[in-house]
Amino acid sequence: MNEENRKSGYILIHRSLRNHWVWSNSEKLAAWLDILMEVNHAPRKINIGEGLITVERGQSVKSMVTWAKRWNWNRLKVRSFFKCLQEDNMIVIKTNNKTTHLTVCNYE
């Protein structure tokens, strides 16, 4: 699948998002929607360092620096936002020295 096809399509967003805490902050809402649009809709393999990893549906593998650049935030702000999302069981984060493995909970 080419990159253009991978990034096309749609995501379903329930209207109840309007009642969620992320809705009240347009910057955080934009970041959350970006996460939902950025995670894989189908599994695919990517090369990280010296090996391949499979990134499953509802997952993304990017560094904190990459997320910070996407949103024009600093890394501390990204970590703080991810911590809030984790505490609300919206995402699970696993980090190592090369990348951040983000999984959206209940992606299905």
Side-chain angles (χ1 to χ4, degrees):
M1 177 179 295
N2 68 34
E3 189 70 13
E4 187 174 321
N5 286 342
R6 189 180 75 77
K7 294 200 179 254
S8 65
Y10 61 91
I11 60 172
L12 296 175
I13 299 173
H14 199 276
R15 286 184 175 92
S16 66
L17 179 62
R18 291 180 181 156
N19 301 321
H20 195 274
W21 63 265
V22 76
W23 184 264
S24 65
N25 182 306
S26 61
E27 189 177 48
K28 290 178 181 176
L29 175 62
W32 174 241
L33 293 175
D34 188 44
I35 290 169
L36 293 177
M37 288 187 276
E38 188 61 24
V39 297
N40 286 354
H41 67 277
R44 71 183 188 122
K45 292 184 181 184
I46 62 168
N47 182 284
I48 298 286
E50 298 297 319
L52 287 175
I53 63 169
T54 300
V55 183
E56 300 293 341
R57 178 175 166 83
Q59 296 181 335
S60 179
V61 178
K62 296 187 180 325
S63 69
M64 288 285 187
V65 171
T66 301
W67 288 111
K69 285 179 182 177
R70 284 180 72 85
W71 302 331
N72 198 27
W73 294 3
N74 62 47
R75 283 183 288 176
L76 180 61
K77 187 171 181 176
V78 173
R79 270 193 300 263
S80 175
F81 179 58
F82 283 176
K83 183 179 178 191
C84 287
L85 295 175
Q86 281 195 111
E87 288 173 356
D88 202 17
N89 298 312
M90 296 168 70
I91 64 170
V92 174
I93 294 289
K94 293 181 183 174
T95 59
N96 61 37
N97 61 347
K98 294 186 188 244
T99 192
T100 300
H101 197 121
L102 182 149
T103 303
V104 173
C105 300
N106 302 316
Y107 185 74
E108 296 299 326

